[in-house]
Amino acid sequence: PFYALSSLVLLPVRLIYGDAIIDHMQLNMLLLRQFISILPMILAAGILVYMQTRFESLWKSVALFLFLLTIRGIVRNNIWWWHPDALAVLFVVLTLFFLDRDRLRFGRNFYLAAFFCGLSIAIKLLGFFFFLTIPAYLLAGLLQKRIQFPRAALAAGLFLVVMVGTMVFSNPFLFSD
């Protein structure tokens, strides 16, 4: 997904300059840093702020957003180079967002979480850190009697199918020698 999204970002430059795209390396790097490294991290911070505050208090939301954007690791990683970390973080945050939105209903949002988890695995393997989160989420659904065991087993299997399918489909380099 990192290279595919990077190619989409550079597509307008390619269409405008054609084969001379290589002569515009500063523009290419600027666009890649902005749209692949910086914008996804800003979106991830915004989603985290929404999950925490639901934007009920403007001042708390703004303060938390600014705090998240001034954390040294976020600022330092996204200023100097074009790197997949911000996309990986965004997809992990989207996984958490859709699990939060699902509220133990094991519906569409649960499988959207699987999709974004698969994308995070395809980029930098960060999605593998959910290997205990999803079973715990299913266990919480079982203990709160929101789901019966057969449906929980089916949901776990479908989560794996969606996650692995997304990972394989979005990362064709897995099949190269």
Side-chain angles (χ1 to χ4, degrees):
F2 172 65
Y3 295 113
L5 290 171
S6 296
S7 295
L8 284 175
V9 165
L10 293 180
L11 182 61
V13 178
R14 175 74 171 174
L15 293 174
I16 292 168
Y17 294 112
D19 290 336
I21 188 173
I22 197 74
D23 297 332
H24 301 279
M25 193 57 66
Q26 278 187 313
L27 174 62
N28 296 340
M29 290 309 295
L30 172 72
L31 292 173
L32 289 171
R33 277 195 316 265
Q34 298 301 313
F35 288 99
I36 300 299
S37 296
I38 294 174
L39 183 61
M41 191 61 79
I42 292 171
L43 291 172
I47 293 167
L48 287 172
V49 169
Y50 172 76
M51 288 172 61
Q52 184 62 38
T53 67
R54 301 290 188 221
F55 297 142
E56 291 173 359
S57 169
L58 176 66
W59 297 112
K60 284 181 185 177
S61 298
V62 168
L64 183 56
F65 184 70
L66 290 175
F67 172 73
L68 287 175
L69 291 182
T70 58
I71 294 172
R72 184 174 189 262
I74 289 174
V75 174
R76 179 114 172 112
N77 282 344
N78 292 317
I79 286 179
W80 298 109
W81 62 81
W82 160 59
H83 202 266
D85 283 350
L87 282 173
V89 168
L90 175 63
F91 293 144
V92 165
V93 167
L94 284 169
T95 302
L96 293 171
F97 172 75
F98 283 109
L99 285 175
D100 180 57
R101 230 177 128 191
D102 186 61
R103 301 195 192 285
L104 298 174
R105 291 184 296 239
F106 303 97
R108 179 176 49 111
N109 289 313
F110 183 69
Y111 300 110
L112 282 170
F115 173 76
F116 286 111
C117 187
L119 286 176
S120 69
I121 292 170
I123 289 179
K124 282 200 73 170
L125 303 177
L126 287 176
F128 281 124
F129 290 112
F130 287 94
F131 80 98
L132 290 178
T133 304
I134 302 308
Y137 187 79
L138 288 162
L139 183 62
L142 286 168
L143 293 176
Q144 293 181 20
K145 300 195 186 310
R146 301 250 185 128
I147 191 171
Q148 299 300 319
F149 184 77
R151 186 163 174 249
L154 179 64
L158 288 175
F159 188 96
L160 279 173
V161 166
V162 170
M163 181 184 72
V164 171
T166 301
M167 180 185 67
V168 169
F169 180 75
S170 67
N171 197 352
F173 294 114
L174 289 174
F175 300 110
S176 65
D177 290 345

